[in-house]
Amino acid sequence: MDQWYRTFYKSPIGEIEIMGTDKEICSVNFVKGRKRESAASLSPALKECVKQLDEYFKGKRRIFELMLRMGGTDFQKAVWLSLLGVGYGETTSYGDIAKSIGRPKAVRAVGNSNRLNPIGIIVPCHRIIGSTGDLTGYGGGLWRKEWLLEHERKHLKKK
């Protein structure tokens, strides 16, 4: 049985709780009012996740290279794996994700799976928008979704 670890990362848009094992990241979620723990006692996976989040928020990382453990139904996992294919600074719609997993009529289920994504930012659910181009739903709040998309667009232009 794997040992679980947890730490908190202070991002420019709020505190993020990171949970995982020695080798895998299992969740990355925004939280309120948590105390940041020392990175010295973290698992190798959490240390690497913190490092890569730092690089992402500094505009130096576009692709996360972490081992992930995604719980959930087969449908949810298919949605989350599809999200990994949406490039840095790009957006796509819930309908496009539904089509990409061979379930074109499952747009609402895709939206719900997106909402339940346990590994935010790294599995980029913030890059999924409504079919009209509007920002819709984000567990961390729409203002964070907008910030993340703008952050990526800004750094995409710099390279």
Side-chain angles (χ1 to χ4, degrees):
M1 187 170 214
D2 291 322
Q3 181 172 345
W4 286 76
Y5 299 89
R6 176 175 69 168
T7 194
F8 298 92
Y9 172 78
K10 186 174 173 110
S11 83
I13 53 175
E15 202 79 14
I16 297 173
E17 179 186 56
I18 305 166
M19 294 182 68
T21 65
D22 282 322
K23 297 179 182 176
E24 299 167 309
I25 299 303
C26 304
S27 80
V28 175
N29 291 301
F30 289 101
V31 293
K32 290 182 181 178
R34 302 288 186 189
K35 185 178 129 187
R36 189 169 185 191
E37 297 172 13
S38 165
S41 64
L42 300 180
S43 74
L46 268 63
K47 284 181 187 177
E48 185 60 26
C49 185
V50 166
K51 175 182 169 275
Q52 291 189 29
L53 283 169
D54 268 339
E55 293 167 351
Y56 171 82
F57 283 109
K58 290 176 182 173
K60 297 178 179 178
R61 175 171 291 277
R62 294 182 180 189
I63 298 171
F64 290 93
E65 297 170 343
L66 300 163
M67 289 183 59
L68 306 177
R69 180 186 292 184
M70 293 189 250
T73 67
D74 289 343
F75 180 84
Q76 289 169 332
K77 289 177 192 175
V79 170
W80 300 332
L81 287 172
S82 184
L83 297 179
L84 291 170
V86 182
Y88 183 92
E90 298 176 4
T91 58
T92 194
S93 72
Y94 297 98
D96 290 337
I97 295 295
K99 289 175 194 163
S100 78
I101 62 168
R103 302 280 302 272
K105 294 184 179 183
V107 176
R108 285 186 183 204
V110 165
N112 191 48
S113 294
N114 209 44
R115 180 181 65 82
L116 297 173
N117 171 20
I119 308 176
I121 300 173
I122 294 162
V123 176
C125 54
H126 62 278
R127 297 179 187 154
I128 312 308
I129 60 174
S131 59
T132 61
D134 293 333
L135 297 186
T136 57
Y138 185 65
L142 281 180
W143 71 271
R144 283 191 177 110
K145 183 174 192 166
E146 184 175 19
W147 190 98
L148 290 165
L149 291 172
E150 183 55 35
H151 169 74
E152 291 180 6
R153 287 185 192 117
K154 178 176 72 178
H155 289 287
L156 195 58
K157 292 176 185 175
K158 289 184 177 180
K159 297 234 174 177

